[in-house]
Structures are given as C-alpha cells and as structure tokens.
Amino acid sequence: GEEPDWLECDPVEGTVEPEDETEVVVIISTVDLEPGEYQRTIIFNSNDPDQPQVEIPVWLFVSMGEGTLNGIVIDEETERPIEGVLLSIEGFNYEAVSDDNGQFDFGELPAWTYSLRTSREDYLPWIDEEIIVEVGEETSIEIGLLHSEFISDPARIEVAMPLNNEMETWLG
C-alpha cells in the first residue's frame, strides 16, 4: 500500500524577492503511521545558477512506546568503573556520561534498536549497533573498555631477517 502523507510544507510554492526572506512551516504527522523509519526530501528550487536546487532530507522515526537504557562502564583489564565516559547514540541527539561509579543512564528512550558508541581519553572507542530498547522494559548493559596507550616493552619486540635481507619488526 501507499505510505500515508506525513510531511507537509506551508507554503508549498512561492517567490522570495532578492534580499528578502520567507518562513516555510514544516508539519509532521504520525497519524496512521506504523512504527518504523520514514524518509522524505524537501526540495527548494532557485534561479541561482550556483545553487539551482537545495535538498533537505527529513527523517522520521515512529515508535510505539518507551523503555530505559542504563548500565556501567568498566576497565576491561582492572574491572574498575570508569568515570567520564561519553556515551552517544548514533543518529540521535542522545548522550550520557558515566559517573564516578561508572554508571550511566539515558532514562526513557523510544523503543528502537540503537547504535551506541563510547568515547574517553586513554581508552579505545567501543561500539554496539544492536542495543535494543523495548517498550516498558529496562535495558541494562555492561561495557568493558580497553586502554589505548602504547607501552614500549623491548621484550615483546621481535626482529627477523627474511631471505630478501630487508629488516622487518613485529610487536608480539
């Protein structure tokens, strides 16, 4: 079947005089939409030879309820909590920061499958593209981060002289 018309612009057409401006109101309605992801593009045509057309993508995510997402961030090696880790849900404007106990809480989020990424100095980024938040459910996760620092250990460096007499070095 055909998708319901969920995006409307007012005015739909018009003329803007040089050095003037006009407001375009964008109306989004989720009436009759099933849960899911929707995309449309608003196109502005112009007589500007350098930019005859401007396209503005519009993304809509429809959810049928909310759940919660929280957890703890620990150092994978020491198993101690990590404070100050920035957790970002990609594609959305949701962020949380771990507290001094490594705990984080996004609170209520629309039910969806999210891609979650971490960022903190001295640690490698961590990403999981399948964090599922279900309606009325609490999603609690534990994230283990690995250090990103390089520690030079001469005992772990191997040197080999292959048959072509070029020196190669490997970190073991």
Side-chain angles (χ1 to χ4, degrees):
E2 192 171 305
E3 176 182 300
D5 193 12
W6 57 269
L7 182 73
E8 183 181 325
C9 295
D10 184 30
V12 175
E13 59 183 53
T15 303
V16 181
E17 297 298 326
E19 304 300 321
D20 204 359
E21 60 185 51
T22 191
E23 182 176 286
V24 176
V25 177
V26 177
I27 301 163
I28 297 174
S29 172
T30 59
V31 174
D32 296 328
L33 291 180
E34 295 293 322
E37 186 174 331
Y38 298 86
Q39 194 272 330
R40 291 272 173 85
T41 302
I42 299 172
I43 301 172
F44 291 94
N45 293 310
S46 162
N47 62 355
D48 181 345
D50 295 329
Q51 195 171 17
Q53 194 173 73
V54 176
E55 295 186 2
I56 302 173
V58 179
W59 290 92
L60 176 64
F61 300 90
V62 178
S63 171
M64 291 302 290
E66 295 180 329
T68 60
L69 174 59
N70 59 50
I72 186 169
V73 185
I74 61 168
D75 184 298
E76 187 74 28
E77 191 173 321
T78 67
E79 297 187 1
R80 292 194 174 124
I82 306 172
E83 179 181 6
V85 176
L86 175 64
L87 298 102
S88 305
I89 295 180
E90 296 187 332
F92 296 87
N93 195 23
Y94 299 130
E95 291 184 341
V97 177
S98 62
D99 64 17
D100 56 348
N101 294 316
Q103 302 284 329
F104 65 90
D105 189 355
F106 282 96
E108 289 191 343
L109 296 172
W112 202 260
T113 300
Y114 294 101
S115 179
L116 180 63
R117 175 182 293 273
T118 66
S119 173
R120 184 168 185 290
E121 190 174 322
D122 296 331
Y123 285 91
L124 295 171
W126 175 93
I127 188 165
D128 187 336
E129 296 179 348
E130 294 290 323
I131 303 292
I132 300 170
V133 175
E134 295 185 17
V135 175
E137 299 291 323
E138 176 184 14
T139 301
S140 189
I141 59 175
E142 180 177 298
I143 299 170
L145 298 184
L146 297 170
H147 278 275
S148 63
E149 64 188 66
F150 173 74
I151 301 173
S152 176
D153 181 0
R156 293 183 52 202
I157 298 176
E158 297 178 22
V159 177
M161 183 67 80
L163 295 176
N164 64 6
N165 289 329
E166 291 182 16
M167 181 77 68
E168 292 183 21
T169 304
W170 292 283
L171 292 178

